Amino acid sequence: MNSPADDAVRSPFREQLEAAWERSGGFLCVGLDPDLERVRDLMPGRKGAMLDFCRAIVDATADLVCAFKPQIAFFSACGAEHDLEALIAYIHTSHPGVPVILDAKRGDIGSSAAQYAREAFERYGADCVTVNPYVGWEGIEPYRRYPGRGVALLCRTSNPDSGWLQDYPANDPLYLRIARAAAERDEGDLMLVTGAPYPEQLAAAREAAGDLPLLVPGVGTQGGDPAAVLGCVASNGRGLVVSASRSIIYAGGVADFVEAARASAQRLYEKVRIPAPA
């Protein structure tokens, strides 16, 4: 459980990102999506396999990343919420300075949103949380009441069926309205989720959002082009968090899953290094 003392020493999320970009020299984010059956196959007979698996991936890749992104559903679906708490605490303790983005995609209003915010920031101690803005700003503001924490708004997501809603209406698509509104309301706490498989929309979101950080999934299993993503840096040459999950954490087998995850992360890291100043 997160405590007030944690916030006394925690830097604001945007400052954490800036420091992480500087330290790592790249935009790589490793997503932690530990499917219990796959984890058991990789660590047969191991008690506490879920947490041990995630810790091993974290330790193998921490020097390469600007963030980690655990997906809450993989923990809550099998009753492993305490493993998620322990994992985030482990990252903060063992790899200080690496921010944790909790991928929860919450989207509700009023008292329900306040409880989801409490869950993300007080129970789990996340530095940032993904939020669905469909219900409007009254569903976003409860998360912004936690000073120094980040809120990553779904903008143009990476899944194939997203365009039917997010790309309409054609003359002023929803994802660009979200990007503009976030840029107008940002107080150093907002970022946007924009998928790598759609480079034209990614570039348009960057233009609409100015220098807001972009969380960019979809360069791994979904096949997004890292080179196109690098064309969407902010004006200071930063501003990207490029996330891959399955292509890294499940890169190997029983004998070498840690080494294979490291190698896969290293390959992607080399493709999403921060460009040298012109």
Side-chain angles (χ1 to χ4, degrees):
M1 181 74 72
N2 186 56
S3 71
D6 296 325
D7 287 331
V9 298
R10 187 192 304 247
S11 298
F13 176 66
R14 191 74 57 84
E15 291 182 14
Q16 291 183 57
L17 271 185
E18 293 287 351
W21 287 322
E22 184 68 25
R23 174 193 52 77
S24 68
F27 298 126
L28 177 64
C29 169
V30 171
L32 301 168
D33 300 4
D35 180 277
L36 183 57
E37 294 307 313
R38 298 186 74 170
V39 169
R40 284 173 171 166
D41 288 341
L42 291 170
M43 304 182 77
R46 179 79 69 91
K47 292 182 104 177
M50 179 85 86
L51 182 57
D52 287 348
F53 174 81
C54 290
R55 284 174 172 168
I57 298 294
V58 165
D59 289 341
T61 60
D63 63 311
L64 301 173
V65 305
C66 67
F68 285 112
K69 184 175 70 67
Q71 220 300 341
I72 195 171
F74 287 92
F75 295 87
S76 59
C78 58
E81 292 94 333
H82 289 298
D83 284 345
L84 179 57
E85 292 179 40
L87 172 62
I88 294 176
Y90 180 78
I91 294 170
H92 285 153
T93 301
S94 299
H95 303 285
V98 180
V100 177
I101 301 170
L102 181 61
D103 194 356
K105 298 183 179 69
R106 301 306 196 200
D108 212 329
I109 59 174
S111 58
S112 296
Q115 293 304 309
Y116 283 132
R118 181 184 177 193
E119 174 195 40
F121 297 138
E122 295 187 33
R123 178 179 184 186
Y124 294 118
D127 301 296
C128 179
V129 63
T130 57
V131 172
N132 188 329
Y134 188 81
V135 299
W137 284 96
E138 64 183 299
I140 299 168
E141 289 301 330
Y143 300 89
R144 307 184 77 191
R145 295 175 191 150
Y146 285 81
R149 306 303 177 96
V151 185
L153 302 179
L154 303 188
C155 180
R156 183 55 169 87
T157 57
S158 60
N159 58 302
D161 200 33
S162 56
W164 78 271
L165 175 63
Q166 296 169 16
D167 286 346
Y168 287 93
N171 64 332
D172 190 21
L174 176 63
Y175 80 94
L176 288 183
R177 292 168 60 196
I178 293 169
R180 290 196 303 270
E184 291 170 359
R185 295 172 180 253
D186 179 49
E187 296 177 354
D189 57 344
L190 299 180
M191 68 187 306
L192 297 173
V193 181
T194 50
Y198 306 102
E200 291 184 8
Q201 289 92 335
L202 175 61
R206 166 57 75 202
E207 183 177 359
D211 284 342
L212 280 186
L214 304 181
L215 173 58
V216 187
V219 294
T221 304
Q222 292 175 293
D225 180 9
V229 174
L230 285 184
C232 297
V233 295
S235 64
N236 66 352
R238 303 291 194 267
L240 295 174
V241 177
V242 183
S243 178
S245 304
R246 289 167 290 169
S247 62
I248 292 176
I249 68 174
Y250 300 128
V254 173
D256 70 340
F257 78 88
V258 174
E259 295 81 2
R262 168 75 187 187
S264 179
Q266 182 77 54
R267 287 191 295 271
L268 183 53
Y269 170 81
E270 296 299 334
K271 295 177 182 178
V272 295
R273 296 188 72 146
I274 295 174

